[in-house]
Amino acid sequence: MIKLPDIRQKFTDIKEQVEQKVYHSYLLKHIDVPVIDEDKLLILVSIMDRLELSYNELKNYATTTMLIQIALDTHEHISNATVDEINRQLTVLAGDYYSGLYYKLLAESEDINMIRELSRGVKEVNEHKVSIYQKELNGIENLMTSIKKIESSLLVKFSGRFKVDLWNDFIVNLFFFKRLLFEKKLFLETGSSIMFESMKDFISPIKNLSVNKLSDNQQRDLLVICDRYLDSSKQFLIKGISQLPYLNDMLEARITSIINEHQPFAKSLVEEG
């Protein structure tokens, strides 16, 4: 009897397969190592692990979806004004290269429905990125909605392809929560982040003023707003973790770890004081 790999082995094998495809020796000499979001990969593997798919099908779907996610993440780095022009062009090419690998693998699978759904996800992600970067949003709630779409549209379209929509709200909140944690940490460490720069426009009457030029009280207000959304998503995740279908131990441990990373700003001030 053939013993099928467990969830950890599947995750490790597929991660190694993705790395082999994206770690192009020439590109890595000139651009940052592409980041593989292991949590999104784990979600993909966990969703498919209980479906009637062969292991090869699972690997192909997870690999192709991660390639397009990496392509989207790579293109996002282009907005960094500190990157020189040569690196900027190579980063564009790297993102296109990963996209090309994705389309090649999906075309080989001949799954037209998956191609259609993931293409819709890519379109949705890019539309909301444009709204944020061009400051077309009206209000903080719309900004947060766009961040949710950017972080989860690809996975939501993926789960829709397999009709496992019970995962969707949890996926949206988990990766929204994770992105907020990242943006908050970046702001506290560097004084700026794309999300906080966008939020600033809704609380400051002075346009074109960098967020690190705001008063201490205004910066504190931004952190409080961020924490409010973090707290709301955290409560959803705590409640929802018991309702996910077929939640495996590896994913449950990772979700718990992410949830526990959140420490409200007000609490931090009290402890430091």
Side-chain angles (χ1 to χ4, degrees):
M1 182 177 180
I2 298 175
K3 183 179 180 181
L4 295 175
D6 65 13
I7 193 74
R8 287 175 174 77
Q9 190 60 54
K10 290 176 182 177
F11 170 83
T12 301
D13 289 348
I14 296 169
K15 179 172 178 285
E16 289 175 355
Q17 182 167 303
V18 173
E19 289 172 344
Q20 289 172 6
K21 292 185 179 299
V22 301
Y23 290 170
H24 189 288
S25 58
Y26 176 76
L27 289 173
L28 293 184
K29 291 179 181 178
H30 302 281
I31 66 171
D32 293 337
V33 175
V35 176
I36 299 172
D37 191 324
E38 295 187 8
D39 296 319
K40 288 182 178 176
L41 175 56
L42 181 55
I43 285 283
L44 289 171
V45 175
S46 298
I47 288 174
M48 289 187 289
D49 192 46
R50 295 287 180 161
L51 301 178
E52 294 180 358
L53 297 172
S54 70
Y55 186 39
N56 283 336
E57 287 176 319
L58 188 154
K59 284 194 295 184
N60 188 54
Y61 282 129
T63 301
T64 52
T65 305
M66 287 308 300
L67 284 173
I68 197 62
Q69 182 66 61
I70 292 166
L72 288 168
D73 294 343
T74 300
H75 279 147
E76 189 165 349
H77 294 314
I78 299 166
S79 62
N80 186 346
T82 64
V83 176
D84 63 50
E85 188 57 30
I86 292 177
N87 281 358
R88 186 186 301 275
Q89 292 177 12
L90 284 170
T91 302
V92 173
L93 289 174
D96 292 344
Y97 170 69
Y98 304 143
S99 296
L101 288 175
Y102 146 76
Y103 283 114
K104 178 177 181 294
L105 288 171
L106 265 189
E108 290 173 354
S109 75
E110 299 182 347
D111 189 335
I112 301 302
N113 289 330
M114 179 63 84
I115 294 173
R116 183 185 299 115
E117 288 304 315
L118 291 183
S119 295
R120 287 172 177 167
V122 170
K123 179 176 181 288
E124 200 167 73
V125 168
N126 286 330
E127 286 175 348
H128 285 276
K129 283 182 179 179
V130 168
S131 295
I132 290 178
Y133 287 120
Q134 296 188 358
K135 299 186 177 182
E136 299 173 345
L137 299 169
N138 181 23
I140 289 177
E141 190 63 35
N142 287 334
L143 169 64
M144 296 304 177
T145 296
S146 284
I147 291 174
K148 288 179 178 179
K149 294 290 187 181
I150 289 168
E151 290 303 313
S152 60
S153 284
L154 210 60
L155 293 181
V156 167
K157 298 299 183 187
F158 180 91
S159 69
R161 162 65 182 83
F162 291 110
K163 295 180 172 56
V164 285
D165 298 354
L166 284 173
W167 284 83
N168 286 356
D169 287 342
F170 195 89
I171 287 172
V172 169
N173 278 276
L174 177 63
F175 291 105
F176 176 60
F177 184 83
K178 187 179 173 185
R179 179 64 181 262
L180 291 185
L181 287 175
F182 170 79
E183 295 287 340
K184 178 182 175 182
K185 180 180 179 183
L186 189 63
F187 175 67
L188 289 172
E189 291 180 351
T190 69
S192 183
S193 86
I194 182 65
M195 188 188 84
F196 277 80
E197 289 290 347
S198 298
M199 289 169 61
K200 168 262 302 176
D201 292 336
F202 303 123
I203 72 163
S204 173
I206 305 174
K207 301 302 178 184
N208 300 319
L209 180 69
S210 177
V211 69
N212 57 18
K213 300 297 183 182
L214 295 176
S215 69
D216 289 345
N217 283 339
Q218 287 175 316
Q219 292 188 21
R220 188 176 293 109
D221 288 344
L222 291 179
L223 287 164
V224 169
I225 292 169
C226 180
D227 275 352
R228 189 173 74 236
Y229 283 95
L230 278 166
D231 289 337
S232 177
S233 282
K234 180 176 181 176
Q235 293 307 311
F236 181 94
L237 294 173
I238 291 172
K239 181 179 179 181
I241 197 170
S242 62
Q243 300 173 355
L244 279 180
Y246 312 117
L247 182 65
N248 60 71
D249 292 342
M250 185 179 181
L251 181 57
E252 183 174 6
R254 181 56 192 149
I255 292 170
T256 301
S257 176
I258 293 172
I259 291 173
N260 290 338
E261 288 181 35
H262 173 43
Q263 183 174 4
F265 177 65
K267 181 180 177 181
S268 300
L269 289 179
V270 170
E271 291 179 351
E272 290 174 6

